[in-house]
Amino acid sequence: MRLATWNVNSIRTRVDRVTDWLERADVDVLAMQETKCNDDQFPTMPFAALGYEVAHCGFNQWNGVAIASRIGIENVEVGFPGQPTWSDKPEVEAAAEARALGATCGGVRVWSLYIPNGRTVDSPHYAYKLEWLAALRDTASSWLTSDPSAPIALVGDWNIAPVDDDVWDISLFTHSTHVTERERSAFTAVVDAGFSDVVRPFTPGPGTFTYWDYTQLRFPKNRGMRIDFILGSPALAERVTHAEIARDERKTGKNRVGSPSDHAPVVVDLA
């Protein structure tokens, strides 16, 4: 089974690019983040033409998560128990955002996750991010308590660089989100709950990134961040035979279909 995650940065803009890569990379299950559309707008037909079923969670033009599978998709779940709510405006009631989608594919429980950005350290969104991660940790831990042998993959854009080598120049991020001790501790808490980073052993750093901003030639200069991860339960981790970051999919050029996302896909192979 080949499982991948990719922040696609608008699926309607990049559907041709995504499906082209799916076919070339021979991926069985793809978790997507930042689809930026509601459910009715998701372009399911190009995926169906390649034999993929799609589950999607999108409420508007923000956020959005999806899972495409050619090996079955069952027990679809929008949001996880205890997922925090959010509202940007005091007059608007807080609600769960389109940031978490679970489905069972080929016997593996896959969660496509788009962790809140946090914006700035003094923003309410930063506190929301920490609350969101704590709730994820508690719920994911309960899944393993209930069934220690469950193969579970927590995948997606975590908006956290867990160690200094995951940022091209840590000195530039001294007062920024993504690298604060509280965010890193929240990420480590998920790992300590039993979910290991199954990609890093195959893709050691420094300089091994998954995201490059569009500005200032960040990608050609490899000035990026490692913020996209696949965390696996013990039963899933022991099945990993290979992992990679498909860095070339961030490239532009005449041999590429459409414009790239600012993230690259992250891939694992399971025995």
Side-chain angles (χ1 to χ4, degrees):
M1 174 179 174
R2 174 162 281 193
L3 167 66
T5 182
W6 196 356
N7 179 320
V8 295
N9 190 17
S10 178
I11 188 59
R12 288 179 291 173
T13 299
R14 279 172 251 287
V15 61
D16 291 340
R17 181 127 184 163
V18 172
T19 52
D20 174 71
W21 177 74
L22 274 178
E23 193 168 20
R24 287 187 287 107
D26 197 26
V27 171
D28 296 304
V29 180
L30 174 64
M32 291 167 273
Q33 302 84 43
E34 215 171 352
T35 57
K36 295 184 178 180
C37 65
N38 62 41
D39 291 345
D40 292 339
Q41 295 172 319
F42 191 95
T44 57
M45 291 305 295
F47 289 88
L50 295 177
Y52 291 87
E53 300 175 80
V54 176
H56 179 256
C57 172
F59 305 135
N60 47 42
Q61 74 272 29
W62 308 111
N63 311 316
V65 282
I67 298 172
S69 172
R70 64 181 185 185
I71 55 174
I73 189 162
E74 302 173 327
N75 302 320
V76 175
E77 188 175 357
V78 174
F80 57 84
Q83 180 177 328
T85 58
W86 171 258
S87 174
D88 266 324
K89 301 176 182 178
E91 69 274 14
V92 178
E93 184 179 359
E97 296 183 296
R99 293 185 177 274
L101 182 71
T104 301
C105 307
V108 173
R109 189 65 176 168
V110 178
W111 279 91
S112 180
L113 305 170
Y114 182 42
I115 280 72
N117 178 281
R119 300 178 183 171
T120 61
V121 175
D122 58 354
S123 166
H125 207 260
Y126 179 79
Y128 166 60
K129 179 179 189 175
L130 296 176
E131 181 186 6
W132 206 97
L133 286 160
L136 175 64
R137 175 206 61 212
D138 291 347
T139 299
S141 178
S142 73
W143 294 332
L144 287 185
T145 299
S146 176
D147 184 2
S149 64
I152 305 171
L154 308 178
V155 314
D157 178 356
W158 292 73
N159 273 314
I160 298 172
V163 298
D164 287 356
D165 281 348
D166 293 335
V167 181
W168 69 276
D169 185 347
I170 192 63
S171 68
L172 300 178
F173 292 81
T174 304
H175 303 294
S176 301
T177 59
H178 292 51
V179 300
T180 67
E181 184 58 38
R182 296 182 71 186
E183 290 167 288
R184 288 176 167 181
S185 294
F187 183 92
T188 300
V190 179
V191 174
D192 290 344
F195 294 86
S196 59
D197 181 349
V198 298
V199 177
R200 194 181 293 272
F202 296 88
T203 59
T208 308
F209 305 133
T210 65
Y211 163 83
W212 302 261
D213 190 272
Y214 288 123
T215 61
Q216 300 177 348
L217 297 175
R218 289 285 171 83
F219 180 69
K221 296 178 180 178
N222 199 31
R223 294 177 175 177
M225 302 177 73
R226 186 180 187 132
I227 57 176
D228 302 85
F229 298 94
I230 296 177
L231 302 189
S233 65
L236 184 126
E238 68 181 11
R239 292 174 52 187
V240 175
T241 60
H242 174 75
E244 64 186 68
I245 298 167
R247 188 181 188 278
D248 283 356
E249 301 313 310
R250 177 60 176 81
K251 292 180 178 180
T252 57
K254 62 182 180 181
N255 294 325
R256 302 288 165 180
V257 176
S259 62
S261 170
D262 45 3
H263 294 250
V266 180
V267 186
V268 295
D269 290 331
L270 306 177

